[in-house]
Amino acid sequence: MVDKANGSAAGGGRGPAADRPEHIRNVVLVGHSGSGKTTLVEAMALTARAVNRAGRVEDGTSLSDYDEIEHRQHRSVQLSVVPVAWAGMKINLLDTPGYADFVGELRAGLRAADAALFVISAAEGAEGIAGATRALWEECAAVGMPRAIVITHLDTARDEFDVMTEACRTVFGGGSSETILPLHLPVYGPKNPDGHRPVTGMVELLPNYIGDYSSGEEVQGEPSPEQLPDLEEARNRLIEGIIAESEDESLMERYLDGEEISLETLVTDLERAVARGSFYPVLFAAPAPEGAKQGLGTVELLDLITGGFPTPAEHEVTAVTATNGASPHQLSCDPDGELAAEVIRTASDPYVGRVSLVRVFSGTLHADDTVHVCGHGLEVRGHESHDVDERIGAISSPFGKQQRTLGQAIAGDIVYVTKLSRAETGDTLSATGTPLLIEPWPMPDPLLPIAIRARSKADEDKLSQSLARLAAEDPAVRLEHNSHTGQLVLWCLGEAHRDVALERLRARFGVQVDVIEHQVALRETFAGKATGRGRHVKQSGGHGQYAVCEIEVEPLPGGSGIEFVDKVVGGVVPRQFIPSVEKGVRAQAGRGVAAGHPLVDVRVTLYDGKAHSVDSSDAAFQTAGALALRDAAAAAGIALLEPLAEIWVIVADEYVGPVLSDLSGRRGRVLGTEPHSTGRTRIHAEVPELELSRYAIDLRSLSHGTGDFSRTYVRHEPMPDQLAAALRGEIARA
């Protein structure tokens, strides 16, 4: 039992290492940026006596004192884990970034957790429940993850608890759901001078009493006659919702017949419904009244986590395959089973090197074990695919900057592991004799291109290795060496993601880079048919150079490339030099003939020329072929081709109009719209890639964070004359 007066429970604090999966709870906190996730984690850690009143752990640091970049950015940019002990259980609280740019860290937290707490801020009001949060709720529902809702910031609320609860029912449950119901209600005190009403107590609906904390200690009492009707309605609704989800089919009939259902039965059925993901309780958390030893609602929240959320043993292990071709049996969360663990985050420590945050799904991981590290094969994002054996170093339990050394980590636990120099985020750790690969979690596609270059020669020497380390830490980053433009491009999820990536390069890896304008791979083609003559004649001491060729160039349909045709008759160009002419033509086409972009989609016909018995050579005819192509280009005129992308935009229904209007302004062609899911529409369009450089940012703004899109290159198309002329003017002035 929990002693609320002392704000502690058996096994309070950080507690001993877990000895069985049944004694572990892995809970991820998700919610919009500013919803209060980190504050809630710290409040629960205080209640569990894992930190002191100042929010400090034993070494004097705070729970969030891990990444200096977070402090400079004034935002949470990475997943963090805070283990606390409560009621004899180890609870791993996974605090995720709320900002959309760091959704990769959020998805890592979802993979590592067995249940989710959705943290909703009342200060933002009912309309502040972002569409991204709704999409995340649906994502959790798709995999059957148990969920609960915590309302925060009631002391500065725009909307009170009952309004926020109904909004959650509407957004998450379609408005008619009887499975999203509050477990307790706040009791408000008189208004402050600033007009806000602090929370001074709570109504415990199932035990049916009011706990008043205005004196600093809980004083239990009965509802007043004025409070009684509303409280009875809320209590009856909660009881009926629990009974509706009960596995005991006779319970509803007994309740309707007037039988008083025992508190023990209701709590047991509630916890079972929460654990299987069919009931989603709503709780609140509020700052402690003056003199109180913990914040309001944290005890009840910790009780729900330990009693209602599932153990790792109840969470099915993600799909696993054997890399040696064998067919592995279905793994379970068994400490004595086959080892299967996953790296959910990678960081660099200045003293110990690479540190991996690992979730053990099966088996037991021991310090100094040799394990097999299997890469995820995301080569297209700059992540090397690998299958190697490595010896791990120390195993520790994360807690701010302080690390508590452990001898082992059993199935279900989350720990830090050192000395895995090859392991990257998303990699699988398994036994060396039976290498396994856990199916990686879905990662968002980074769609904001950032072209960079090293600031100095010293930076250039370190850049390649530093980018590889950056990619190892952050699988949401994609690295591209664009062969068409010659640029090094860092693809990110948004501006904040970009800023953090560049800051990590500077502060963590000591590399300075400059951001330059991102170039789109344009092409050139002939606007019409033309002929050209290439004459390369030079005379000097010894052998000279002599080659003349005449060609005809005509445009071809898009995607045809360069077609070379030999129509020489009479041997005016010797047979051995015809491939030389083609080589020169293709080389010049690769360099471009007008604005420096590759020439495509033309047929080049060689029909005449001249040669010299002594001075003609392979090099001379290559040069003549290039000159002929340039001569023809000057006569015909060149059209610029720009790449066209096919995009699919998924957006909330209320933002379809603004998104369609914006696509039209980007010279896009909308090909169709169709329903995607409840309240969301999918838009199919083709848009020039020149117009998509900042679309990841602009779409988020247009859709209030509810929009998402994917893009695929389709083809090159002629650029409008006005834009092409402006671009040529820029090149001429450069």
Side-chain angles (χ1 to χ4, degrees), residues 38-48 51 63 285-286 294-295 298 302:
T38 301
T39 301
L40 181 58
V41 167
E42 292 174 348
M44 286 191 283
L46 173 63
T47 299
V51 296
L63 298 182
Q294 70 265 326
T298 53
L302 289 166

Side-chain angles (χ1 to χ4, degrees), residues 43-57:
M44 286 191 283
L46 173 63
T47 299
R49 294 186 175 178
V51 296
N52 59 29
R53 292 287 299 177
R56 299 282 162 175
V57 296

Side-chain angles (χ1 to χ4, degrees), residues 181-185 203-206 238 270 279 281-283 304:
L181 295 169
L183 293 187
H184 52 238
L185 304 176
V203 179
E204 295 280 7
L205 290 177
L206 289 182
L238 173 61
L270 168 68
F279 191 88
V282 183
L283 303 92
L304 175 70

Side-chain angles (χ1 to χ4, degrees), residues 108-138:
L110 290 173
R111 168 57 66 90
D114 304 305
L117 280 178
F118 278 71
V119 184
I120 308 296
S121 172
E124 297 181 5
E127 66 274 15
I129 304 178
T133 307
R134 177 175 61 187
L136 187 59
W137 181 277
E138 295 171 354

Side-chain angles (χ1 to χ4, degrees), residues 16 90 213 267 271 281 286 346 348 367 385 528 565 620 634:
K90 178 183 180 182
Y213 288 83
V267 170
E271 292 177 345
T346 307
S348 297
S385 183
V565 179

Side-chain angles (χ1 to χ4, degrees), residues 482-486 521-526 561-563 581-602 604 622 625-627 629-630 633:
N482 193 305
S483 59
H484 300 296
T485 64
L522 302 178
R523 300 285 185 268
E524 300 172 354
T525 193
F526 272 54
I562 302 292
E563 182 180 328
V581 176
E582 180 178 0
K583 188 174 181 181
V585 166
R586 291 188 180 276
Q588 183 63 56
R591 295 189 295 268
V593 293
H597 304 294
L599 179 72
V600 295
D601 303 335
V602 293
V604 179
Q622 284 191 45
L627 291 171
L629 186 62
R630 288 160 58 183

Side-chain angles (χ1 to χ4, degrees), residues 181-214:
L181 295 169
L183 293 187
H184 52 238
L185 304 176
V187 175
Y188 295 94
K191 285 186 178 181
N192 291 328
D194 59 6
H196 295 133
R197 297 173 62 195
V199 178
T200 59
M202 66 172 62
V203 179
E204 295 280 7
L205 290 177
L206 289 182
N208 200 21
Y209 70 85
I210 292 180
D212 183 2
Y213 288 83
S214 58

Side-chain angles (χ1 to χ4, degrees), residues 13 31 58 147 185 307 368 423 433 474 659 734:
E58 295 167 13
R147 285 146 281 159
L185 304 176
D368 299 320
D474 188 356
V659 169

